[in-house]
Amino acid sequence: MRIIVNGEPSEIRDNSSVADLLDGLRIGRERVAVEVNLDIVPKARYDDHLLSEGDKIEIVHFVGGG
Amino acid sequence: MTLENDKLIIAGREFSSRLMVGTGKYASFQQMAQALEVSGAEIITVAVRRVNISDRSKESLLDYINPKRYTLLPNTAGCYTADDAVRTCRLAREAGLSDFVKLEVLGDEKTLFPDNEELLKAAKILVKEGFTVLPYTSDDVIMCRKLEDIGCAAVMPLGAPIGSGLGIRNPYNIRIILETVKVPVIVDAGVGSASDAAIAMELGCDGVLMNTAIAGAQDPIAMARAMKLAIIAGRLSYKAGRIPKKLYANASSPMEGLLA
């Protein structure tokens, strides 16, 4: 199915969870926050929050700033 | 007099250092880590941005920051509306598991001055959601009072535009703010040199937050040390109580025993 990750169209297999997406991208879950369709998914729910066709996902982390 | 028990308290949390520093604009993460170390800062600001999903080879900021040593203060830099700032704070809390946020809502790209209307709107929502809100604001007494009234943990008036290095442009406003609010007053933005930082502290400010002044210096590590010393010197000078300013001279040596 098709989803949008950080503004980029991506393909992911059906019934993937947020955890599957992060693992596939090799992103550790400790230091990020994930939003699906503008709603934050708490870390504890990464495994059971399943993604759907067309979902817009934002994965953010901390970078240098003032 | 020492500053041993002179703690900065924000929302019940104690800090020994009154210098807060940003993590942006350094030549490398190594340089940043060294500057942070030398500065003695305990609170450091970070920005919230998208993870680069196409290139995962890049190092991460947090590889260079010991979370036990530093309190991360995520900012909402680049947000121009209350909605964007609130969204960024919620993400920051999820990523960092802390309620501390440096709230900035900008009004204009050229000056980076705050949009105080949107700032107040965002601050109200965030305080209600349990955030510890440290708002970057203009050096406006009424605004600072309003931010305190709605429950912000500190107020952070600018000394001058972000990254300008112009110093404390309106020390009288800062003084009135200090007399008006009870929460910590932290000068955020505008500091260019160690003397600027010392001036803020001599006015009685509770702390100073800076990024460009250190990261943009020719030798950021040396400047980090200068800033650390300036904050301590300024604080001590404030606590010591300066002499009143007088127009005419007042001899330091006795008049008695002068040679005839």
Side-chain angles (χ1 to χ4, degrees):
Chain A
M1 61 181 179
R2 285 174 71 77
I3 55 174
I4 310 275
V5 184
N6 286 1
E8 304 286 330
S10 307
E11 277 288 335
I12 193 167
R13 66 177 168 73
D14 290 359
N15 295 318
S16 292
S17 65
V18 170
D20 295 332
L21 174 66
L22 292 175
D23 290 346
L25 291 168
R26 290 186 293 117
I27 296 172
R29 54 179 82 183
E30 290 310 313
R31 297 166 169 183
V32 297
V34 178
E35 215 183 43
V36 177
N37 302 328
L38 298 178
D39 285 325
I40 290 176
V41 180
K43 288 188 203 300
R45 298 207 27 229
Y46 284 177
D47 287 309
D48 44 69
H49 187 108
L50 299 183
L51 299 171
S52 309
E53 171 82 25
D55 274 354
K56 289 196 175 73
I57 298 131
E58 294 288 346
I59 308 170
V60 301
H61 65 162
F62 294 137
V63 302
Chain B
M1 185 189 294
T2 69
L3 296 176
E4 222 166 278
N5 296 313
D6 181 51
K7 306 288 186 199
L8 167 63
I9 299 171
I10 301 173
R13 286 187 56 186
E14 280 192 8
F15 301 94
S16 298
S17 171
R18 291 173 180 273
L19 172 60
M20 301 167 202
V21 297
T23 53
K25 292 187 180 174
Y26 286 93
S28 66
F29 282 139
Q30 286 86 348
Q31 186 189 57
M32 176 206 72
Q34 207 186 337
L36 293 183
E37 167 92 33
V38 168
S39 76
E42 293 165 319
I43 299 175
I44 58 173
T45 58
V46 294
V48 178
R49 292 292 180 271
R50 281 174 166 170
V51 171
N52 184 342
I53 53 164
S54 47
D55 179 7
R56 300 291 308 128
S57 66
K58 292 217 173 102
E59 288 176 301
S60 155
L61 173 80
L62 294 189
D63 291 336
Y64 289 84
I65 290 169
N66 178 356
K68 287 196 182 107
R69 168 152 183 189
Y70 300 108
T71 295
L72 292 187
L73 183 60
N75 69 28
T76 58
C79 291
Y80 285 82
T81 65
D83 286 348
D84 279 350
V86 168
R87 182 184 177 198
T88 301
C89 288
R90 289 173 181 154
L91 284 165
R93 174 154 71 181
E94 183 61 25
L97 303 172
S98 152
D99 292 327
F100 272 60
V101 286
K102 169 182 162 177
L103 178 64
E104 50 184 296
V105 187
L106 304 172
D108 175 77
E109 278 177 37
K110 198 168 174 183
T111 61
L112 298 179
F113 280 144
D115 181 331
N116 284 329
E117 198 182 350
E118 290 292 299
L119 178 70
L120 206 56
K121 212 165 107 188
K124 276 182 191 164
I125 297 168
L126 292 166
V127 167
K128 219 172 264 175
E129 292 185 12
F131 283 91
T132 299
V133 181
L134 286 74
Y136 157 72
T137 176
S138 32
D139 55 357
D140 181 305
V141 181
I142 309 306
M143 190 62 203
C144 287
R145 197 178 63 202
K146 286 183 180 179
L147 289 165
E148 178 183 46
D149 286 347
I150 62 161
C152 290
V155 291
M156 305 208 292
L158 54 85
I162 294 172
S164 69
L166 289 172
I168 313 300
R169 297 327 302 151
N170 200 336
Y172 303 103
N173 269 25
I174 301 288
R175 270 179 61 183
I176 301 175
I177 291 168
L178 283 161
E179 288 184 12
T180 305
V181 303
K182 291 188 188 70
V183 291
V185 176
I186 295 154
V187 162
D188 178 9
V191 164
S193 64
S195 55
D196 295 335
I199 285 169
M201 295 311 292
E202 284 187 322
L203 287 170
C205 289
D206 297 280
V208 178
L209 198 168
M210 62 181 75
N211 190 154
T212 309
I214 295 176
Q218 291 195 19
D219 183 341
I221 312 302
M223 190 58 88
R225 180 164 159 73
M227 291 301 183
K228 176 188 183 170
L229 296 172
I231 295 286
I232 293 169
R235 180 68 179 171
L236 267 173
S237 173
Y238 167 71
K239 299 279 271 186
R242 60 154 298 147
I243 59 163
K245 291 182 183 179
K246 289 186 296 252
L247 193 56
Y248 293 99
N250 186 354
S252 301
S253 308
M255 293 307 290
E256 298 84 42
L258 270 178
L259 297 175

